[in-house]
Amino acid sequence: MRVAYVSTDPGIDVLGTKGASVHVQAVVAALLRRGAEVDLLTPRADETAAADLAAHPRLRIHRLPRVGRGEPAARERAARASDASVAGLLNELHAFPGTRSTRPFDLVYERYALWGRTATGWAAARGVPSLLEVNAPLPVEQARHRVLVDAPAAYDAARAALTAATAVIGVSPAVSDWAASLGADPVTTIGNGVDTRRVVPAARPVHDGRPDPARPFTLGFVGTLKGWHGVDTLLAALALLGPGHRLLVVGDGPTATDLRATADRLGVADRVTWTGAVPATAVPALLQEMDVACAPYPPLDGFYFSPLKVTEYLAAGLPVVASDVGGLRALLRGPGGAGGDLVPPGDAAALGDAVADLRDDVVRRRALRATHRRAALALDWDHVVEASLATLPHPPVSPTGATRVA
């Protein structure tokens, strides 16, 4: 199988450390494990966090024109021009001169981008199956959190991409509904996965919950520090829990400075460890330092995320306390799912109480290590990619050489 993986979002460095970057790397790695050749088309592949993946002999990375920074209207024009260049590059690669490949593309797999409309249209015109993965309603997100100058053009691009794709994947029911509202048919909801080879439970025994100055009971959070992740609520919960508890925050982001100031104001700064941005390869060891992992989302209208952090928490065998929003209830309480604790969004007292209950129940935490690990194995990226390919009318190939996750 030869796959063109297209990611035209200029905010995603496909070799970087942010969640979307790790997502791209995970899907590409799963395709490679299936024996596929992968041509990755992207405007950004500058970082080195995924250098091992970049060196894979069946992966070729092709740079699209960069978008760069600048005023919003100019940036939008540059992003549209970068996306338009996808057609010429796909034409060249499909004919395979100079690519070390001996076959045309069997599949175009695109991660939906705000201005991405070319790849699925190119595939439809040539009879190549295409799979469009939608992670968020990007025009809505762009207008709400950043600046969207040409909204009609953004929605036109979305409709074009969604209606040209052979199959569309939404990572949550809310995302699937949004894609369907713009004409996608069919749309299948398949949540995000986790690399269960990379993320494993700690070898040490679970914390016994008793006060231990040498090893405080550790709450953890992994993710980009943005306002809609609720880390301020987690800091407030830490203050309520009192001494003997530590918070490990893995990630960086635009609210980092404000959150540090909040920690100072709450008097918990000396009990918080901030790692900053770390490569994906460093996250498993940091997860193993945690005793309870948290996803403290605030109240949000139209919660549509499928958080990678939660599947990583499960793979690490950690007890999870999460806000009861969006699809987290189905993930943590659904059939065959895990046994996470759900609390009202934005409620620091409830979050702190849930952590304290877990701290005081070492038997339950021991059981959750196995239960959550078992739930995560069913969510491994190999299974997610296999399920995604199965949504195509004629999946392009059977697995070859894959190392399956039991």
Side-chain angles (χ1 to χ4, degrees), residues 15 40-46 61-66 85 89:
L15 303 180
L40 173 54
L41 284 66
T42 175
R44 285 188 63 188
D46 303 325
I61 299 177
H62 308 276
R63 268 74 171 180
L64 300 167
R66 296 187 69 92
S85 73
L89 184 52

Side-chain angles (χ1 to χ4, degrees), residues 143-205:
R144 180 180 297 166
H145 300 294
R146 305 179 193 93
V147 177
L148 180 58
V149 178
D150 194 345
Y155 280 96
D156 283 348
R159 290 189 190 92
L162 290 163
T163 56
T166 308
V168 176
I169 301 296
V171 298
S172 70
V175 168
S176 294
D177 289 347
W178 176 82
S181 75
L182 294 180
D185 183 24
V187 185
T188 305
T189 300
I190 300 177
N192 284 326
V194 62
D195 184 344
T196 57
R197 297 169 180 79
R198 183 175 61 85
V199 182
V200 298
R204 63 171 172 81

